[in-house]
Amino acid sequence: MATLLHIDSSVSSGEASSSRAVTAAFQAHWQEQHPEGTVVYHDLAARPVAHITADAHFAGFADPASHTPGQAAAFAERVKLIEELEQADAVLIGAPMYNFSIPSTLKAWLDNVILLGRTAGEAQSAKGTPVTVVASRGGSYAPGTPREPFEYVQNYLSAVLGTALGLDVDFIVPELTMAPHNPAMAELVPLFEASRDRALEEAAAKAKALAGRTAA
């Protein structure tokens, strides 16, 4: 059976979150193709994973036989998250842009699963796993726009997920999500709606394509 690892990190819930709306659509289409499959879900806003601690960090570079009780407990939690990543056939991440970057809860998850000598470095135990990132943002940071220099979400996640972990990274980018809520952006509402509709269509197409790929 195919396994989808689905991670949401938006602080908003339900349809109030553009990233959650698109990841939910992706998951629904995935499950249509894999009715017997498994979805491992983390809502990092509701149940955040622990930010990396000294015990969790340094335990990753030490012989398990030498771990203190604190290191053993902290590292065990990291291993659970790492194993979920390693066992996934596909990964889905909702990554809204907050202050030009990703939510700290998502950064905490990344800090836990990036382990040199296992998931990162020469080994890259999850290498090649397809990951779809829904990178929503309130404005537009597309090439040629005034805010292009402030696009740190796709650049950062491409480096971390693609280069460090060796995953096969793809993005869906719903933008201008603040247009319906900010009167100063009222004229951009049609562009937001077009971007939202396009993101939902991409989610359906990519989920079906990946479902076929993992079933092959």
Side-chain angles (χ1 to χ4, degrees), residues 28-75:
H29 287 287
W30 168 275
Q31 290 182 297
E32 285 180 4
Q33 305 298 313
H34 287 300
E36 303 301 322
T38 300
V39 176
V40 177
Y41 180 63
H42 285 287
D43 184 340
L44 298 180
R47 294 175 297 279
V49 302
H51 283 270
I52 202 78
T53 63
D55 278 344
H57 174 70
F58 290 110
F61 299 96
D63 183 341
S66 70
H67 285 177
T68 66
Q71 287 177 325
F75 191 62

Side-chain angles (χ1 to χ4, degrees), residues 147-167:
R147 291 201 167 192
E148 179 185 359
F150 300 101
E151 205 303 298
Y152 300 117
V153 171
Q154 286 177 265
N155 290 336
Y156 171 69
L157 291 178
S158 292
V160 172
L161 298 172
T163 302
L165 294 176
L167 307 182

Side-chain angles (χ1 to χ4, degrees), residues 130-154:
V131 53
T132 304
V133 179
V134 179
S136 59
R137 60 276 316 274
S140 179
Y141 297 77
T145 63
R147 291 201 167 192
E148 179 185 359
F150 300 101
E151 205 303 298
Y152 300 117
V153 171
Q154 286 177 265

Side-chain angles (χ1 to χ4, degrees), residues 47-147:
R47 294 175 297 279
V49 302
H51 283 270
I52 202 78
T53 63
D55 278 344
H57 174 70
F58 290 110
F61 299 96
D63 183 341
S66 70
H67 285 177
T68 66
Q71 287 177 325
F75 191 62
E77 294 303 311
R78 287 189 72 184
V79 169
K80 289 179 185 177
L81 298 174
I82 288 169
E83 289 178 343
E84 288 176 349
L85 175 63
E86 293 172 335
Q87 294 164 10
D89 295 289
V91 181
L92 172 65
I93 299 176
M97 178 185 282
Y98 292 160
N99 300 315
F100 307 125
S101 187
I102 62 173
S104 65
T105 52
L106 180 54
K107 179 62 164 58
W109 178 82
L110 288 166
D111 287 340
N112 276 279
V113 300
I114 297 171
L115 180 58
L116 190 63
R118 182 165 177 174
T119 58
E122 294 184 4
Q124 294 184 317
S125 55
K127 184 175 182 178
T129 303
V131 53
T132 304
V133 179
V134 179
S136 59
R137 60 276 316 274
S140 179
Y141 297 77
T145 63
R147 291 201 167 192

